[in-house]
Structures are given as C-alpha cells and as structure tokens.
Amino acid sequence: MYIFANWKMYLDFDESCILMSQLMAENFDIDAQLGIFPSTLAFSEIEKLARDTQWGIGAQNVAWVEKGAYTGAVSAHLFKEVGAQYAMVGHSERRHIFGEKNEDTQKKMQACLDVGLVPVLCIGETQEDKENDKRQYRLKRQLHEALQGLDLQEESFLVAYEPVWAIGSGTPCTDTDAEDVAGWIKSELKDTFNLANIAVLYGGSVDSKNVLSYTTQPSIDGVLVGGASAKFDTFSALIRAVAKG
Ligand code: PEP
C-alpha cells in the first residue's frame, strides 16, 4: 500500500518543515510505504527529517539530462544524489500548465530508471476526453508513449491514474470507475510490456472520508494525494483512516 503526498507549491520552506516534523512525531501504525513529494527548495531538509523512517521522499518533477547548461532545471541524477527515492513524471499540471508532452515523459522515465529513482508515471484524461469517449485512447497513448523503448523491470516504476477533472476539484472519480481503469492499466502493462507487478495508484480529490473506498479495491495499490496532504489534520486523518481499515 502506498500513500503519497504531492505538496505541489502549496507550502513554503518553514511550513514544509513544520508539517514534516508533525508527521514524524506521529505513530501511524500502518503497513504502507508513505511518501512525500516536497518542493525542490525544501527537499533536502524534508529528506533529512525522513531519513531511516518508513517515509520515502520524491521529486515532483525532473529534468532528463544529467548536468549542464539547463537554467532552472534539476535532474533525476541531482535528486538521487540528495536522497530521493521517487520522482513524479507527467503530472497533469506539468502536462497542462507547462506543456509537457508524452515524449518528454518518456525521457524523464528513462532518466529516473538510469539513476535508480522509482518514477511515478501520472496519466489521466481531461473532462473533454471523457465527454468525447476518449478516455481509453488518451490513457493508452500516455502509457505507451511514456514507456516505449525502455528496458522495464518489475517494480521499477509505479503508475498513478489521475483524471485531470478530478484533481483539486472536490469531484473524485467513483471508486468503481477508478478500479476499472486501474485494472485496465494492469492488463495493458501485462499484455504489452509483460509486466505483472506494477503498482497502480489513484489520485484526484482523495480525502480521509473517501480514501478507503479506493484502497480496498483489488487493482488499486495506493493513493496520490494533493490538497488533503498539505495540512496536518487532513493528512493524518487520511493515513489513520487507511490504518484502521
Ligand atoms: C494531485 O495533484 O496529484 C492530486 C491528486 O491533487 P488533489 O488530491 O488535490 O486532487
């Protein structure tokens, strides 16, 4: 079971450290891989606070080149060097605000795998895709184009199904729908890439009240949480909801 927190650009340095310290002070008594994806500026401090605990730390985004003249970029290699375990690739905000394409996600996947970071490949259809019955078409392209040409091993990456219309909207995907998509992603990975052990997470307006409806689905291996992860009360309630089962 994975519970991953995408802090996006919600928290400044001090707020990030305070929230992480509060989380570290709790005993959640949960058999899960907990993860934080902090801002790049807070990354090293959060990593220090989480070292040798059940919390893994990840980058929200990576550049695919290793080093060089790439103003403003931070590579998978540089994140790995400061203790990152995971990296999100292709988050919907990267795709829709910053214009990231499937071919970029492929290079970022490669860069992460090359340095031993576990990428979390985020895929999801827009409202327009959904209305035009193009969900499967969109997900298939995002999945296949991100993975093409890579030397993929079992458990070397994760997939997060995050419908764009569900992110930050307060309107999550229904649990049965998310389960159907997670099952479909798993069958695509098996049939096309011969991978049977890739975890699939659901993300999009997950909170303490609805989280169990996702984590109890057979094809869903965890959740990626944005808004509800950026405050101690809402995030600790969510973790406790899963722990109590
Ligand atoms: C996200 O952006 O990854 C996300 C799941 O956000 P939220 O939980 O706020 O919908």
Side-chain angles (χ1 to χ4, degrees):
M1 176 63 57
Y2 296 85
I3 303 177
F4 281 176
N6 175 10
W7 284 355
K8 311 194 188 200
M9 209 172 71
Y10 285 137
L11 305 172
D12 66 23
F13 182 85
D14 286 344
E15 290 164 340
S16 302
C17 296
I18 290 167
L19 176 51
M20 195 65 195
S21 304
Q22 288 175 312
L23 293 169
M24 291 296 103
E26 289 294 303
N27 175 11
F28 287 112
D29 194 17
I30 184 169
D31 182 17
Q33 168 70 77
L34 304 173
I36 299 287
F37 294 71
S39 74
T40 305
L41 285 180
F43 189 92
S44 283
E45 205 54 37
I46 299 301
E47 191 279 325
K48 262 185 237 154
L49 289 168
R51 206 171 286 166
D52 303 324
T53 70
Q54 79 183 114
W55 293 83
I57 307 301
Q60 294 182 9
N61 177 43
V62 295
W64 58 80
V65 285
E66 192 182 309
K67 271 184 172 181
Y70 297 91
T71 303
V74 184
S75 66
H77 167 78
L78 294 179
F79 272 111
K80 177 71 182 177
E81 206 176 52
V82 292
Q85 202 175 329
Y86 300 97
M88 274 190 278
V89 170
H91 187 276
S92 104
E93 285 145 21
R94 300 298 317 170
R95 294 178 190 267
H96 297 285
I97 302 172
F98 298 101
E100 197 164 297
K101 302 272 181 288
N102 289 338
E103 64 199 72
D104 302 322
T105 61
Q106 194 271 358
K107 291 186 215 157
K108 292 178 182 202
M109 290 293 293
Q110 175 84 68
C112 288
L113 296 172
D114 283 351
V115 298
L117 277 187
V118 176
V120 182
L121 173 63
C122 303
I123 62 173
E125 80 284 1
T126 62
Q127 177 71 28
E128 197 186 343
D129 291 332
K130 196 171 126 196
E131 283 163 10
N132 294 313
D133 215 12
K134 280 188 142 183
R135 174 159 75 180
Q136 209 174 89
Y137 162 82
R138 185 69 57 209
L139 296 178
K140 196 166 185 154
R141 282 198 62 178
Q142 291 177 344
L143 192 65
H144 285 241
E145 292 181 28
L147 301 181
Q148 70 181 3
L150 303 181
D151 180 18
L152 298 166
Q153 310 296 325
E154 292 289 8
E155 296 176 19
S156 61
F157 69 99
L158 294 85
V159 177
Y161 169 55
E162 297 207 298
V164 179
W165 49 269
I167 294 179
S169 67
T171 308
C173 188
T174 65
D175 46 12
T176 47
D177 216 11
E179 165 61 18
D180 284 350
V181 175
W184 175 82
I185 291 169
K186 287 189 169 177
S187 61
E188 282 292 301
L189 291 170
K190 177 93 188 59
D191 297 347
T192 314
F193 300 96
N194 200 24
L195 295 166
N197 288 306
I198 300 298
V200 176
L201 280 49
Y202 167 72
S205 296
V206 175
D207 60 26
S208 61
K209 294 191 185 69
N210 63 27
V211 67
L212 262 188
S213 72
Y214 299 107
T215 54
T216 50
Q217 300 293 332
S219 305
I220 297 179
D221 304 296
V223 284
L224 178 54
V225 187
S229 74
K231 289 197 181 93
F232 177 72
D233 289 353
T234 50
F235 195 39
S236 57
L238 186 153
I239 299 170
R240 287 196 193 292
V242 180
K244 275 194 211 139

